[in-house]
Amino acid sequence: MTNTRDQDRVLIFDTTLRDGEQSPGATMTHDEKLEIAEMLDDMGVDIIEAGFPIASEGDFEAVRDIARQSKTSVICGLARANFKDIDRAWEAVQHAARPRIHTFIGTSPLHREITKLTQDEMVERIEATVTHARNLCDNVQWSPMDATRTEHDYLCRVVEIAIKCGATTINIPDTVGYTAPRESADLIAMLLDRVPGADEVVFATHCHNDLGMATANALAAVEAGARQIECTINGLGERAGNTALEEVVMALKVRNDIMPFATGIDTTRIMGISRKVAAVSGFAVQYNKAIVGKNAFAHESGIHQDGVLKNAETFEIMRPEDIGLTATNLVMGKHSGRAALRAKLKELGFDLGDNQLNDVFVRFKALADRKKEIYDDDLIALMRDSSADE
Ligand code: KIV
Ligand code: ZN
């Protein structure tokens, strides 16, 4: 695999179908997974982590069928650090035009205690499993789970051995969402500086959102040299979720002036896939969620509505069309002003003169005081009442 570390391209690795599906209650059917994988492929996701083939027959079949239907994206299957998992992952992903095996082991003291492996025994296990995976597939990703709580010297040692045994991507997971942005950057910089062979592989960042810092941590890692971001649609994932794809992609697009990195994502497909994932996972998107929330492009206050109508850039840093929405949503309510009411009524087919608008505006305000949200039908009824009075 080519080393993209010195280039300005950041690979997007989507794990909605693996880490996202691990979210309690987010189980998706086989057909739903295939549909989402196709949408991810079409939107330009570089790598799709399609599942954990050893986990169940259903997971295996989903990964295999996603691999078979794949077009451009690399299709990746997850495996623990044992031959059985790795063989099963390969059995599923080998059908892809571009397959990848992703194998991992928990390297922090807490995880070493659970696996009852000494540091040396774990190194031997990594050596054997990464070599085995590489003998099957020339695209191998390796992850030291809980990397952000692993001793730095030991982390350098295990990353070095994984690279020596043929890993082509080294993923650095913040498994429990514990790290902070500066620390996330320092960790990647430290590994790139200290590990022999680090410049031959792609470093990835995989953040969880337990402290609400997943997006900031991922971007900080990129600034320090990581060139693959692992993320999910709507930030779906265990506990507080993973880094949200739409957030990192739009942050890199909107703030390209200070983060000059490109992704291959067609951002106009973001809204469509966000809605699809919300529908099939049953996890509704919170109203004020960055980028894809119902209110992300909605304005109710009079000042904001007036500003946006005159020049959208006054209160919008991205265009709704950039993420696949057709237009800014002017939410009509008690904070709305005359300009927004005029624009909204025009949209509904009523082009009012100043006097008529003044009259309707008074009625509209009275209604808005009684009713939380004013729908298009309410406005149409208001217009009917007003013409009946004339
Ligand atoms: O969060 C994590 O550590 C993971 C690994 C399996 C990469 O999801
Ligand atoms: Zn994870």
Side-chain angles (χ1 to χ4, degrees), residues 62-212:
V63 178
R64 181 199 58 202
D65 293 348
I66 288 169
R68 281 185 177 145
Q69 74 166 20
S70 63
K71 292 170 266 188
T72 314
S73 306
V74 170
I75 305 300
C76 175
L78 186 68
R80 287 166 300 188
N82 66 65
F83 286 13
K84 210 169 152 213
D85 271 40
I86 292 169
D87 289 345
R88 193 71 172 145
W90 174 242
E91 228 186 295
V93 296
Q94 64 179 314
H95 304 280
R98 302 171 69 204
R100 174 182 291 188
I101 297 173
H102 176 193
T103 179
F104 73 99
I105 192 164
T107 51
S108 67
L110 280 165
H111 285 274
R112 294 201 305 266
E113 208 177 296
I114 289 169
T115 46
K116 297 196 183 346
L117 292 175
T118 65
Q119 291 198 1
D120 288 345
E121 285 166 349
M122 188 167 281
V123 167
E124 279 169 28
R125 175 80 72 91
I126 295 163
E127 210 166 4
T129 50
V130 174
T131 304
H132 183 66
R134 187 57 206 260
N135 284 338
L136 296 169
C137 181
D138 62 6
N139 188 337
V140 173
Q141 172 165 330
W142 182 75
S143 297
M145 187 168 70
D146 208 12
T148 53
R149 294 191 300 170
T150 301
E151 308 90 322
H152 283 192
D153 286 348
Y154 189 56
L155 189 62
C156 288
R157 186 175 166 206
V158 290
V159 167
E160 182 179 350
I161 195 73
I163 295 173
K164 275 203 179 115
C165 295
T168 43
T169 298
I170 299 291
N171 176 36
I172 302 300
D174 182 29
T175 305
V176 289
Y178 179 72
T179 204
R182 192 176 305 165
E183 208 178 12
S184 172
D186 288 349
L187 188 60
I188 296 291
M190 185 279 293
L191 289 165
L192 288 170
D193 185 46
R194 284 182 52 186
V195 176
D199 54 348
E200 300 297 320
V201 300
V202 172
F203 272 79
T205 175
H206 176 112
C207 301
H208 281 264
N209 205 29
D210 299 67
L211 292 172

